[in-house]
Amino acid sequence: MSITIKTPEDIAKMRIVCHLAAEVLDYIAPFVKPGVTTEELDRLCHDYTVNVQGCIPAPLNYAPPGYSPYPKSICASINHQVCHGVPNERPLKKGDIVNLDITNIKEGWHGDTSRTFIVGEASILARRLVKITHECLWLGIAQVKPGIHLGAIGAAIQNHAESQGFSVVREFCGHGIGRTFHEEPQVLHYGRRNEGPLMEPGMVFTIEPMINAGKAAISQLADGWTIVTKDRSLSAQFEHTVAVTATGVEVMTLSAGTPPCPAHIKITP
Ligand code: MF3
Ligand code: CO
Ligand code: CO
């Protein structure tokens, strides 16, 4: 399969499901407090997605080749967990950082977005990691424009993360998205600006940098899903689904509660 180009009608449908996925994050944000379990957050998100929004939570039973079916409706990755953390009965505690990753399906179209939340008040390092990772996402988004290599996204992200003494996870990347959850192209969060396919209007993909406070290496836990940093350093992530427009970028996973693009980063619509 190659990179699919979405029509304006396709994009209109994706805009709806992307907005709904972002609204799940708005809905769950007030519940992310010390003492709540990620299993409880999963149940709340599941019920909201299904019963209020009329969407399907894409992670539930998702089984790419080589994986067992994912058992929950959201991913909840705490502290040194990089991504794909499986919600469980362990309560969040003050000072944790937790990424909640939501993917909704509506009328066959997918929308994928995540934010890292700070539980109570966190260390200076944790706050800086979360802030820099959010900036990395938006610096990547700012590169999106027809005629530019996809590698420009990764180069901008890697440059910012490493300039702050942080590292970029290599094994997981952003991805094309549409009628399927994960499709071409792969959107690397590192690399060179003159590498990779050229962006074209109608391409829709995610940008979702995973940034570690320590080294970039990761390992997988015995549950077959949860990814952690090998050195157990903190890791943060933010994700948006974006569309390439005729002139620049449309960020599709926006909602009232979306943390805004940092003021110093310029986005061309
Ligand atoms: N939402 C993740 C992504 O951004 C994928 C999660 S797959 C799951 O690509 F099965 F763990 F949910
Ligand atoms: Co994604
Ligand atoms: Co995601």
Side-chain angles (χ1 to χ4, degrees):
M1 264 303 282
S2 48
I3 304 174
T4 63
I5 299 297
K6 276 75 181 177
T7 66
E9 295 72 34
D10 297 342
I11 302 235
K13 293 201 180 115
M14 289 198 73
R15 200 176 277 130
I16 293 168
V17 69
C18 284
H19 177 69
L20 289 165
E23 286 196 320
V24 177
L25 289 170
D26 293 0
Y27 161 76
I28 203 65
F31 295 99
V32 183
K33 290 275 140 57
V36 77
T37 68
T38 49
E39 222 161 48
E40 177 73 0
L41 298 176
D42 175 73
R43 189 185 62 76
L44 288 163
C45 288
H46 172 94
D47 292 353
Y48 188 79
T49 299
V50 172
N51 300 329
V52 178
Q53 297 186 323
C55 291
I56 298 167
L60 190 59
N61 297 315
Y62 183 59
Y67 285 83
S68 55
Y70 188 78
K72 299 287 183 183
S73 296
I74 70 171
C75 296
S77 306
I78 304 166
N79 296 338
H80 66 286
Q81 297 176 347
V82 171
C83 63
H84 306 166
V86 180
N88 62 22
E89 65 299 320
R90 200 205 93 163
L92 294 177
K93 55 186 195 318
K94 186 174 121 219
D96 284 344
I97 60 172
V98 59
N99 176 275
L100 301 181
D101 193 339
I102 305 295
T103 311
N104 277 10
I105 308 173
K106 193 161 187 104
E107 292 180 26
W109 295 96
H110 293 69
D112 189 6
T113 184
S114 84
R115 301 176 195 158
T116 296
F117 296 89
I118 291 173
V119 182
E121 48 196 88
S123 69
I124 289 171
L125 173 65
R127 281 175 2 229
R128 189 165 71 87
L129 177 67
V130 170
K131 176 170 181 278
I132 298 300
T133 304
H134 184 246
E135 289 171 358
C136 282
L137 168 61
W138 282 98
L139 286 166
I141 292 171
Q143 301 300 317
V144 176
K145 192 181 165 173
I148 303 290
H149 292 276
L150 272 180
I153 298 169
I157 291 169
Q158 180 181 14
N159 177 54
H160 189 52
E162 292 181 355
S163 77
Q164 299 296 316
F166 297 148
S167 64
V168 178
V169 171
R170 301 293 202 269
E171 289 83 351
F172 296 91
C173 53
H175 50 92
I177 183 168
R179 290 195 172 278
T180 47
F181 193 164
H182 295 101
E183 56 187 54
E184 284 183 47
Q186 294 197 37
V187 181
L188 304 186
H189 302 120
Y190 62 93
R192 296 167 180 275
R193 68 182 163 72
N194 56 355
E195 287 178 356
L198 293 175
M199 291 182 254
E200 287 175 40
M203 286 182 183
V204 179
F205 51 80
T206 73
I207 304 175
E208 48 181 298
M210 286 143 270
I211 306 298
N212 299 346
K215 296 211 168 76
I218 55 146
S219 25
Q220 190 180 62
L221 297 189
D223 63 14
W225 278 103
T226 309
I227 303 298
V228 297
T229 56
K230 209 165 215 157
D231 63 8
R232 299 301 194 259
S233 64
L234 287 177
S235 187
Q237 181 179 25
F238 286 84
E239 174 174 26
H240 276 308
T241 299
V242 306
V244 183
T245 66
T247 45
V249 62
E250 175 180 348
V251 182
M252 303 184 83
T253 36
L254 296 178
S255 60
T258 301
C261 176
H264 63 279
I265 302 175
K266 215 54 234 118
I267 303 295
T268 309

